[in-house]
Each structure stands twice: as C-alpha cells, then as structure tokens.
Amino acid sequence: MEIGPDYKFTLLTENAFHSNPADRIGTLCWDHAVDLETEPEKWRLVWATLDSRKPFHNFVYCSVDGTGSPMYVKVSGKPVFDASGEFRGYRGTGTDVTAIMRAQQAEASLRTVEAEARESEQRYRKAQLELEHANRMATMGQLTASIAHEVNQPITAAVTNAQAALRWMSAEPPDFGEVSEALAGIIKEGNRASEVIGRIRALIKKAPPRKDAVSINDTILEVVALTRTEAANNGVLVRTQLAEGLPPVQGDRVQLQQVILNLILNAIEAMSGVGEGRATNIHRHRERIGGRVGRGAGHRSGLAACDARSPV
C-alpha cells in the first residue's frame, strides 16, 4: 500500500479492502471511512502524524469493502523521501481485522450486559431489603402495646428495687445486705430491659441477611415474649412445646424471628373470632433423615404454629 504526498492512494495490493484496487486509486483513505464523526479525535491524531511526516503504527479505522459493508482495517506506514529529501508519501501495510474487532465488541457488549445484570441484582437486593425492613416495621407497629409492656416490666421492677433499697438504707441500723440484694435486682432488671430493646432494634434494623449459628428455641421464646401482651389482649394463650438438646441451625436470626412473628400474629388474628379457650401451640420437633444411624444420616428441625383445637 502506498500513498502520495497528498495522501491519496497510488498503489494497492490485489483485492485490497475486498474490492477492485483501481476503484480507490486517487482517493483518500478517509473518503471511505465511516467513523470520522464518531471518533474524530483519533483522526486528528493521525492527520497530525501525517503532516509531521512521522511513521504511524497499528492505526485501526472502519472503512467499507467492495459491497459497501463495514470492515475494520489496521494500517501502519513510514514516510518516503527521495534522494533530495523531498517527501514523496507513505509506504505501508494494511490488514483486515474485522473479525478481531467484532469479537472485541461482542466481548465488550457481554461485559456491559454482565455489569448491567450485576447492577440490576444489586437494585433488586436493595429493594428486597427495603421491603423486608418495611414489613418488619409494619409488623412491629402491631406490637406497640406488647413492646411497651415488655419494656415497662423491668423498668417497674427496677424502680421497686430502688425504692426498697432506699427504705433499707433509711432503717436504723441500715440493712446493707438487703440494700445489696435490691441493687443487684436493679442491675438484673436493667439488663433485662436492655435485652428487650436490643431484640426490638435487631428486628427493625436495616441490614443485609447473614448466616450464623442460631438457637431456634431461644429465638422462638424471644418472639413469644414480644407477642405475649398482643395475644392476651385478644384473649389468646400462646403455648410452646420445644424439643430439647437440638443443635443450632445456620440462618439469619432476624429473618427467622420475622417468620415466627408472622406465624404467631397470623394465628392470633385467625382465632380472634373464636369463643373461649383459644390457644396457639408452637411446636419445634426433630425428624430423622436417612434409614440408619451413621454417616449420611441426620436430623432436621420442623416448626409449626396451630390452633390448640387442631390435631398435631
């Protein structure tokens, strides 16, 4: 491939650009380019290189072949000077890199699709987290009376212990043993109130799911404590029958509490129109998996909340 001082083709190899070379002799390479407007900066750089009579290497641009279809060409060239040092044009090589460029474009498109998919998944997870948080907040709103009762109980007990401590301190002589016992009671009830508030905060906290070793029995009892007043206000008794000695399970404690909370509230609501003797039984049981004890055999836990009148 050769171009003259005016940058017009003067020589092309046979089947260059998959077309008749004679059709391009006397034309500029950018006369056939289709990326002048989309990539003007690279063309400004190559024009500056040509005007400074410097070599250029691996310049890739989009042209058209003999049928008018787009094709990518990679060209390199060196300036040519005659014996007197006069610039005579460029001599170089050109390679069809259409397949390579389309493969790179396909790869870039795939990366874009993957990035968009990851972004969509992140938006979905964020929306899911927001919805779960909103559901927890709505559920906790139903338990306002229960929460107030659970927090008020240890506070009331702490105040009672404080009053008792004052009385023992005022006695003649002061009974420091009783005072110490009353103060220990205040600490105990303060810790109890803190635990209740901590459980409530965990339920309404906006946080991504996590997997930890969770004691199902403790999780159930914590939720039952929160719903005790709600159940009593609806005339429902919540009873638990929890299997002992079971290992912890892997899961998100807050999500498990939310499931149990929904089970209990649904059971309370379902029995709101029933007559006397309403009760909700919560069973945690163990089922054996596998036909024999040994490697490969195991157990799984089950959880159910049901009307006490229904068979278990």
Side-chain angles (χ1 to χ4, degrees):
M1 176 187 74
E2 294 181 4
I3 60 175
D6 57 358
Y7 310 138
K8 294 181 179 180
F9 289 116
T10 58
L11 176 67
L12 287 169
T13 58
E14 185 179 355
N15 201 35
F17 299 98
H18 303 298
S19 62
N20 183 358
D23 294 338
R24 301 207 182 204
I25 297 298
T27 66
L28 300 162
C29 71
W30 49 86
D31 288 341
H32 310 276
V34 296
D35 54 5
L36 280 172
E37 294 183 359
T38 57
E39 299 181 77
E41 185 57 31
K42 77 174 185 182
W43 282 101
R44 281 194 290 269
L45 291 174
V46 78
W47 289 332
T49 301
L50 295 174
D51 291 340
S52 63
R53 311 299 188 241
K54 293 180 179 179
F56 59 91
H57 303 281
N58 300 327
F59 175 68
V60 178
Y61 71 99
C62 187
S63 184
V64 291
D65 62 17
T67 66
S69 299
M71 67 175 295
Y72 287 91
V73 183
K74 180 172 69 174
V75 294
S76 299
K78 293 182 179 181
V80 177
F81 300 92
D82 61 17
S84 62
E86 185 177 353
F87 175 66
R88 306 304 298 173
Y90 276 86
R91 181 180 295 119
T93 60
T95 307
D96 180 1
V97 292
T98 303
I100 295 174
M101 293 299 296
R102 286 179 177 165
Q104 290 176 352
Q105 290 170 351
E107 185 179 355
S109 297
L110 179 59
R111 286 197 297 267
T112 300
V113 170
E114 290 175 344
E116 290 175 350
R118 286 193 296 269
E119 186 178 348
S120 296
E121 183 179 4
Q122 289 173 354
R123 287 198 300 267
Y124 166 75
R125 292 188 182 279
K126 183 179 179 181
Q128 187 180 38
L129 186 62
E130 294 282 353
L131 180 59
E132 290 175 354
H133 180 252
N135 288 337
R136 287 198 296 271
M137 292 295 291
T139 302
M140 296 306 289
Q142 296 178 254
L143 298 176
T144 303
S146 290
I147 292 171
H149 179 75
E150 288 300 312
V151 174
N152 189 56
Q153 269 193 332
I155 292 175
T156 301
V159 170
T160 300
N161 281 323
Q163 292 171 339
L166 287 174
R167 287 197 302 272
W168 292 116
M169 285 287 291
S170 301
E172 289 294 341
D175 192 331
F176 292 109
E178 292 291 348
V179 170
S180 177
E181 186 176 336
L183 292 176
I186 292 173
I187 294 173
K188 176 183 176 183
E189 297 302 334
N191 289 334
R192 179 182 164 197
S194 177
E195 290 171 1
V196 172
I197 294 171
R199 289 197 296 268
I200 295 168
R201 289 183 63 187
L203 273 170
I204 63 176
K205 184 179 180 181
K206 189 185 299 183
R210 50 183 293 178
K211 281 195 173 184
D212 296 310
V214 180
S215 168
I216 288 290
N217 286 2
D218 290 345
T219 303
I220 292 171
L221 293 175
E222 288 174 2
V223 177
V224 169
L226 284 178
T227 58
R228 188 182 296 116
T229 302
E230 180 71 13
N233 289 342
N234 285 273
V236 176
L237 173 65
V238 179
R239 294 196 296 249
T240 57
Q241 297 178 9
L242 309 177
E244 297 294 336
L246 296 183
V249 298
Q250 289 294 319
D252 184 274
R253 187 183 191 89
V254 172
Q255 289 186 343
L256 289 170
Q257 286 180 323
Q258 182 67 43
V259 171
I260 297 166
L261 189 57
N262 289 338
L263 279 172
I264 295 175
L265 292 178
N266 288 341
I268 292 172
E269 183 179 355
M271 289 185 286
S272 60
V274 180
E276 296 295 327
R278 293 172 289 177
T280 295
N281 288 337
I282 299 176
H283 301 268
R284 192 216 173 176
H285 57 280
R286 176 168 62 180
E287 296 177 1
R288 184 171 158 203
I289 303 172
R292 60 186 176 85
V293 176
R295 192 170 185 175
H299 294 85
R300 64 183 178 191
S301 294
L303 180 67
C306 61
D307 187 336
R309 299 169 303 166
S310 303
V312 177

